[in-house]
Amino acid sequence: MIRLENLTKVFRTPSGGRKIVADHINAVFPTGVSVALMGRNGAGKSTLMDLISGSIRPTHGRVVTTGTVSWPVGFAGSFHADLSGSQNTRFIARTYGVDSEELLKYVQDFAELGDHFYAPVRTYSAGMRSRLAFGVSMGVPFDTYLVDEVTSVGDTAFREKSKAYFLSRMQSAGAIFVSHSTAQVREFCQTGAVLEKGRLRYFEDLEEAIHVHETNMKA
């Protein structure tokens, strides 16, 4: 379960103004449920995910969680560029207290990097980094996964593989899922939440959430 209590995030603009991304949000994301997080471009969906993951701090309010919450799935920005894929994987395994050898095997099989798995990450292409990042994300079990357009990485075969792995994880976990694809939202999610002008509305009925989001987009 993830509970947002008066969650507020305000950024200062270059002109000295204020941009409110989250405006005293109160909401509960239930355990074991995949929630579609929808909103127009620039609404603050990624910022809200960062607040939930703890990678940025709120201006006011707090995020209360029960169970474990992932970093944004597929995020490659935390890899150490001079370490190899395997060394980065070992570091993450130690950080999250999972078996290093099991995670290494999982990621190596999934990412299909071949000998590049033992080369420095700075030598990777964007696609290779995405493969490594998604493999590590899926290899560490969490109660709730934070997902931002994750199945868009890689070629068609890799996207299908990513989707299958993700759906497998969803058998025993929940997710907060950001996607601009209504088809993806319907495939992966059971409920929805719409972020608009700093306010978040949660809907048990996914179709109602989609309708509200599409209405906002037309306004």
Side-chain angles (χ1 to χ4, degrees), residues 6-35:
N6 293 314
L7 189 67
T8 302
K9 184 63 180 178
V10 180
F11 291 104
R12 293 291 179 183
T13 65
S15 62
R18 301 164 73 245
K19 178 177 175 59
I20 302 174
V21 179
D23 188 3
H24 296 89
I25 292 174
N26 290 281
V28 175
F29 298 108
T31 301
V33 175
S34 291
V35 182

Side-chain angles (χ1 to χ4, degrees), residues 4 6-10 19-26 38-40 42-45 48 51 194-201 216:
L4 312 182
N6 293 314
L7 189 67
T8 302
K9 184 63 180 178
V10 180
K19 178 177 175 59
I20 302 174
V21 179
D23 188 3
H24 296 89
I25 292 174
N26 290 281
M38 293 175 281
R40 65 180 78 238
K45 300 183 296 297
L48 183 58
L51 287 165
V194 179
L195 184 63
E196 175 75 2
K197 297 180 179 178
R199 300 286 186 171
L200 186 77
R201 295 176 63 191
N216 289 342

